[in-house]
Amino acid sequence: MKLFLDTANVAQVSEIASWGMLDGVTTNPSLVAKEGKDGSTSSPQVFKKTVLEMCKLVPCVSAQVTAVDSEGMIKQGKEYAAWHKHVVVKVPMTTEGLKAVSFFSKKGIKTNVTLVFSSAQAILAAKAGATIISPFIGRLDDQGEDGMGLIAEILEVWENYQFKTEVLVASTRHPRHVVDAARLGAHICTLPYDVFKKLPNHALTDNGLKKFLADWESVKK
Ligand code: E4P
């Protein structure tokens, strides 16, 4: 399973990429806005710079269009895709979005269909030619639904057909989500920085290492 970082912060991407196993980054307009409350990060020049810096660090960077009509999405998406070969154009799961995805698919431009909340939406996006779909599990859990259940259902459907579309588990909230996504065979899981930072930790690892080093020191001449 590929692991992505869900952020618009280049320093965070650089830090996690330095561990040697980061496969990609997902950004969205809210994450971009969070990095610059004065609006600086969502200016076209700064957004492009951010995406390009991330493209130097990882092989797959999702950049979301903000147009809501297919023509506007296609215009923005073509521009993003021309920035760097690592860019994946992120498109919302709407009928306008599906039209844009179908266009991009024919042009060989990679897409990530975001805001997927049902298997029916997942099937439509795959049929339109999406490279990736992003079901948001945390937001479903937040309203009392079963987010990971949706991933299981989508992967069950995928077993029946030859969809090449990768299933990216999005809106994750804690490390257990990564394990559950992997057990189900999801292709990608994206994690916020604070969740990613928790993954390598275990109290027994810390205590074990402390004891090893203390024992080593105790017999040193
Ligand atoms: C994925 O691509 C999205 O950016 C993200 O996972 C949304 O997560 P949230 O529900 O925590 O905002």
Side-chain angles (χ1 to χ4, degrees), residues 20 25 40 44 54 74 78 101 103 110 126 129 137 150 165 201 217:
V25 172
S40 55
M54 289 177 173
I74 287 168
K78 276 161 102 178
V101 168
F103 172 89
K110 285 181 258 164
I137 61 163
L150 172 63
T165 306
N201 302 333
E217 284 301 315

Side-chain angles (χ1 to χ4, degrees), residues 8-216:
N9 182 305
V10 179
Q12 290 177 355
V13 177
S14 177
E15 179 190 340
I16 306 292
S18 76
W19 298 358
M21 30 51 58
L22 184 65
D23 300 298
V25 172
T26 45
T27 66
N28 68 42
S30 303
L31 291 170
V32 173
K34 195 175 103 185
E35 293 304 319
K37 296 265 185 288
D38 55 356
S40 55
T41 48
S42 56
S43 85
Q45 298 82 355
V46 178
F47 181 54
K48 179 178 177 183
K49 188 169 170 275
T50 303
V51 170
L52 286 176
E53 282 174 15
M54 289 177 173
C55 284
K56 281 190 222 144
L57 297 165
V58 288
C60 182
V61 177
S62 286
Q64 188 166 336
V65 297
T66 48
V68 290
D69 62 303
S70 60
E71 274 183 28
M73 290 178 191
I74 287 168
K75 188 167 176 279
Q76 262 184 324
K78 276 161 102 178
E79 191 191 323
Y80 294 174
W83 290 346
H84 199 284
K85 63 177 189 234
H86 294 174
V87 171
V88 174
V89 180
K90 207 175 189 191
V91 176
M93 177 52 233
T94 59
T95 49
E96 290 300 298
L98 290 174
K99 289 183 209 170
V101 168
S102 172
F103 172 89
F104 290 134
S105 166
K106 288 183 190 98
K107 295 280 173 202
I109 293 174
K110 285 181 258 164
T111 51
N112 174 357
V113 174
T114 189
L115 293 168
V116 169
F117 292 97
S118 75
S119 297
Q121 291 178 325
I123 292 165
L124 290 182
K127 285 180 68 70
T131 315
I132 296 170
I133 54 160
S134 293
F136 278 34
I137 61 163
R139 294 193 194 184
L140 282 169
D141 290 350
D142 291 347
Q143 60 167 38
E145 293 188 53
D146 178 10
M148 205 52 85
L150 172 63
I151 302 299
E153 189 177 85
I154 292 171
L155 290 171
E156 186 188 331
V157 172
W158 260 226
E159 286 281 304
N160 295 335
Y161 302 98
Q162 281 75 49
F163 291 142
K164 291 198 182 73
T165 306
E166 292 188 297
V167 178
L168 181 156
V169 179
S171 185
T172 51
R173 303 275 193 257
H174 50 74
R176 193 66 210 171
H177 274 150
V178 183
V179 180
D180 291 341
R183 290 183 75 187
L184 288 171
H187 305 93
I188 310 168
C189 187
T190 194
L191 307 167
Y193 176 75
D194 62 322
V195 178
F196 220 120
K197 290 276 283 182
K198 287 179 190 163
L199 292 185
N201 302 333
H202 197 288
L204 289 177
T205 306
D206 297 342
N207 294 342
L209 181 58
K210 217 161 132 190
K211 176 87 170 60
F212 282 153
L213 296 178
D215 289 345
W216 181 258

